[in-house]
Amino acid sequence: MGGETRARPPLWQRLLADGVRDLDTLLGLLDLDPDAFETFGGPAYSTPFPTRVPRGFVARMAPRDPEDPLLLQVLPVADEHRITPGFADDPLDEAAVNPVPGLLHKYRGRALLVVTGACAVHCRYCFRRHFPYTEQRSGDRDWSRALEYLGANPSIEEVILSGGDPLSLTDTKLARLADGIAAIPHVRRLRIHSRLPVVLPDRIDDAFLAWFADRSRWRPVMVIHANHPNELDASVASAIGRLRSAGVTVLNQTVLLRRVNDDVRILEKLSEALFESGVMPYYLHTLDPVQGAAHFALRPGDAQRLAWDLAKHLPGYLVPRLVTDVPGAPAKVPVPIGDGRHGTAHH
């Protein structure tokens, strides 16, 4: 009687589709008057980098607080329109390490696939906010070229899925790509970099774990991205627990952001909350100098002082490594930390 009934999309896809995509809705959910605050120049209605935030992430923000640290990460502001010397559209010069569409080969032993330009959340400091995703469009044809490149380079032992956010793709597409990677004998590890376990934890469902946690093919690693302890609620802890129960190693990377987490007490709480959820603090990144995000930059020396203070507050295994990305460098570049009185220290 009229053909097949289409299967209902999984919950995470419905939540993804229902995300906030305009400034009025975001401010309305938080009971904020756009004329009542001027943080980072105040809200901006016109920006080439559109608004996108899952409603569950908005629910973790404090209503009527224009300084909420989660809000500041996703709120389009007037300061994004300032052209700042030293900031660039391609701050990491990724165009120079892009041998085939959709693949970046920056460091020895590993390569990164930009599998999609889509994200569940548009973080305003995103270093790929100007990335030419259309030119790098992923799909079966481009993946074929990328897989050929991986297969022809036996030094590559780890493949990283990135984006955008790779978990915004369906499990069918991701599993098909993963099968192609698993067929390359010298690839031993598959790593996914994703913000979805934090901003849309329902993404970590049975269907995802079924293919990602198949350890007969690789040792799975997930690098999540949380910048503030308020991002980590019970739903995130549950998602992390499911990943760990499936044998996934879970790490976190944080970006230092002015007015969001440039306080040692916040960073200390973040590391402790991550560890309580079974996540190891991995990297503490200085801000990548992408055009449109200069308002998040810390003053010179502040990152080193924060990392030094954090090292004095926490055991070493809870202190993420302070690093910066330098175009052309063979690895993430460690930033020496110290307070000027006791020299510098590394951790």
Side-chain angles (χ1 to χ4, degrees), residues 11 23 41 53 88 144 163 165 214 217 224 238 245 254 272 284 345:
L11 175 61
L23 184 56
V53 196
S144 296
D165 197 306
D214 183 354
R217 294 182 289 183
I224 65 170
S238 176
S245 293
T254 293
E272 290 175 337
L284 185 62

Side-chain angles (χ1 to χ4, degrees), residues 60 102 108 157 191 201 213 263 293:
R60 298 174 218 163
R108 186 190 180 281
E157 297 186 339
R191 190 195 326 174
D263 184 309

Side-chain angles (χ1 to χ4, degrees), residues 243-285:
L243 285 166
R244 296 187 68 238
S245 293
V248 178
T249 298
V250 188
L251 310 170
N252 180 72
Q253 54 186 359
T254 293
V255 179
L256 280 172
L257 302 167
R258 187 166 73 93
R259 300 180 83 151
V260 172
N261 59 11
D262 54 339
D263 184 309
V264 68
R265 293 167 297 180
I266 291 171
L267 295 173
E268 182 181 358
K269 289 179 181 177
L270 175 59
S271 281
E272 290 175 337
L274 287 166
F275 187 71
E276 287 297 316
S277 296
V279 182
M280 291 303 297
Y282 176 39
Y283 280 144
L284 185 62
H285 281 272

